[in-house]
Amino acid sequence: MQKLRKQTSNAQIAKTVLLIALATFLCTSCDNDDDSTIPSELSTAIENQNYVSIIEEDIASLPINTQVAIALVHNGTTEYLGVINDNNVLKGINNADRVFEIGSITKAFTGVCLSKMIATNEASLNETLQDQFEFTITQGGDITLEQLANHTSGLPRLPTNANEVVDFNINNPYVNYSAENLQSYLENSVTLNSPSGTEYAYSNLGMGVLGYALARKRNVGYEELLQDIIFNPLGMTSTTTVRGNVDASKLVEPRDINGNVVSHWDFSETTAAGGSIKSSVTDMSKFMLKNLENDEVFNFAQAKTFNIGNGFFMGLGWNIYEAEGFSVLNHNGGTGGFSSMLMLDKEKEIGVLVLSNAADYNDAVEELCNSLFLQINE
């Protein structure tokens, strides 16, 4: 992965350290180091030539027929940039209203839902996993909602009973994991990787259970929970967890690292809170701006709840990195045909979001987000 080289001051040195650290923390198992470059027409499509240079450097290997949509929040304004690999030429595209799968950035929304329900006395951080269900949980019943939200529950990344899932599809792996499958797992198969509350270990399972439990408290589905707490209040009219709700003309096709069309990912009620949201950079900028406000509910989700070490912390669904002059909220995402990255600095009131319809392209997407974040920090 390429690293930033704009160290002309102590502040910029700190920024470079920050971004390298974030890349290390967030990096997935993908490997997209590709020295190949493709021709570009971006210098005529994008006015800011600093942005052009960054984009051409960081996503020079953007897979054919894939695109990125970018939102930049700074100086009280929001800018949108779009880039597509059109027949092996990088070109500008107006894709600000196109809908992408944002993947695990969904987890930050789940943290806000928990925060809101705590504010309305519908939930508490210390409630246990066992409190949410009538059946007996064999191990981990004492896991709290806070531990589910900050990935210290000890639960594994994924449940181990996929063999019980009816019509399991490896190309759409979360869609059929039912409430019955979850109950069977928690009753019969659950094994903690560490005692709850002691270690950070990322868990899609844990976040899915958290969202499922919160929705059950209101006797609604996760979609309705999000609509009530976040989407409707913020006017995010193109954002949903249900693919069928998306205007087909706006929905971006998912593609693999070679640019081939692959399957969308859909989610069940027990898995939706971990990665189901589909949105545009236009809608997501509303979420970004709200997180930069001094709002009690959003502030609570951003507060540190666990110290991972080396400047890394967890909030409720948010990753947090702190260094001299920095406190960055961030989360990345990836599904079977999409990669994404979001970074926010509340104090400086800036943020960058990058959405792409290329799977396993996280390294490049995160590098691009990092580089643009550094650029608007100047």
Side-chain angles (χ1 to χ4, degrees):
M1 183 181 292
Q2 299 168 339
K3 304 303 178 190
L4 303 176
R5 301 181 178 85
K6 298 182 180 178
Q7 305 105 301
T8 57
S9 67
N10 288 337
Q12 287 185 322
I13 291 172
K15 290 175 184 176
T16 301
V17 171
L18 160 70
L19 299 175
I20 292 173
L22 281 173
T24 302
F25 179 58
L26 291 167
C27 185
T28 62
S29 60
C30 61
D31 182 6
N32 5 291
D33 291 331
D34 186 345
D35 293 331
S36 63
T37 59
I38 55 180
S40 170
E41 298 178 0
L42 296 180
S43 61
T44 58
I46 298 174
E47 181 177 356
N48 188 315
Q49 295 304 298
N50 290 326
Y51 296 163
V52 171
S53 298
I54 289 169
I55 293 168
E56 289 178 343
E57 180 175 1
D58 288 348
I59 58 170
S61 61
L62 185 69
I64 191 168
N65 297 322
T66 66
Q67 57 186 285
V68 296
I70 301 165
L72 305 170
V73 174
H74 63 121
N75 298 325
T77 64
T78 303
E79 293 182 84
Y80 301 110
L81 307 175
V83 179
I84 188 170
N85 178 342
D86 183 7
N87 293 317
N88 281 321
V89 178
L90 290 182
K91 298 180 180 180
I93 182 176
N94 182 0
N95 59 4
D97 292 322
R98 299 295 301 276
V99 175
F100 296 72
E101 294 175 11
I102 71 169
S104 286
I105 297 176
T106 299
K107 293 179 173 68
F109 287 76
T110 304
V112 173
C113 288
L114 173 58
S115 178
K116 176 65 174 181
M117 294 180 69
I118 290 171
T120 55
N121 295 316
E122 298 172 86
S124 71
L125 290 178
N126 295 324
E127 284 183 55
T128 68
L129 186 58
Q130 184 61 75
D131 291 336
Q132 313 309 310
F133 301 105
E134 295 75 23
F135 56 84
T136 300
I137 298 173
T138 55
Q139 188 175 357
D142 62 342
I143 293 168
T144 65
L145 299 190
E146 180 182 60
Q147 291 161 0
L148 292 173
N150 65 17
H151 298 287
T152 63
S153 67
L155 289 170
R157 189 180 187 93
L158 296 168
T160 56
N161 64 332
N163 61 299
E164 298 177 10
V165 177
V166 177
D167 296 327
F168 178 77
N169 181 356
I170 190 63
N171 295 314
N172 196 3
Y174 293 94
V175 64
N176 291 322
Y177 194 78
S178 67
E180 291 75 22
N181 295 140
L182 178 62
Q183 178 173 342
S184 174
Y185 174 76
L186 293 176
E187 281 187 317
N188 305 307
S189 305
V190 61
T191 300
L192 300 187
N193 292 330
S194 60
S196 56
T198 63
E199 296 181 16
Y200 167 86
Y202 193 81
S203 177
N204 287 317
L205 167 63
M207 193 64 71
V209 171
L210 173 61
Y212 178 56
L214 294 177
R216 277 168 48 96
K217 286 178 176 292
R218 289 193 173 186
N219 295 312
V220 298
Y222 184 67
E223 168 75 8
E224 186 174 342
L225 185 75
L226 286 174
Q227 292 288 353
D228 288 345
I229 293 176
I230 303 174
F231 299 163
N232 287 338
L234 297 187
M236 299 176 69
T237 57
S238 295
T239 304
T240 181
T241 65
V242 180
R243 179 158 51 104
N245 292 345
V246 180
D247 181 341
S249 67
K250 293 184 177 181
L251 187 62
V252 179
E253 284 186 316
R255 294 181 180 269
D256 64 18
I257 193 63
N258 297 312
N260 301 308
V261 176
V262 294
S263 174
H264 283 278
W265 276 12
D266 304 294
F267 292 77
S268 67
E269 282 296 330
T270 61
T271 61
S276 62
I277 292 177
K278 300 99 170 82
S279 190
S280 66
V281 291
T282 299
D283 261 16
M284 284 293 293
S285 68
K286 299 172 184 178
F287 181 70
M288 295 166 70
L289 289 165
K290 188 65 178 179
N291 274 282
L292 296 177
E293 292 179 8
N294 184 22
D295 180 273
E296 179 181 357
V297 168
F298 284 76
N299 289 349
F300 190 78
Q302 298 164 6
K304 292 179 287 186
T305 61
F306 188 81
N307 186 348
I308 299 172
N310 298 317
F312 294 103
F313 302 86
M314 285 302 303
L316 301 179
W318 282 109
N319 303 317
I320 304 166
Y321 182 71
E322 290 190 348
E324 184 177 354
F326 284 97
S327 181
V328 180
L329 301 163
N330 60 90
H331 213 297
N332 63 355
T335 63
F338 296 85
S339 302
S340 58
M341 180 67 181
L342 172 61
M343 297 175 66
L344 298 170
D345 187 323
K346 194 181 188 85
E347 181 178 350
K348 297 181 175 69
E349 298 183 329
I350 63 172
V352 179
L353 171 70
V354 179
L355 303 179
S356 172
N357 68 326
D360 299 326
Y361 202 56
N362 298 80
D363 284 353
V365 164
E366 291 164 15
E367 184 75 0
L368 176 60
C369 192
N370 288 344
S371 299
L372 291 171
F373 185 82
L374 174 56
Q375 179 64 37
I376 65 174
N377 253 294
E378 291 184 341

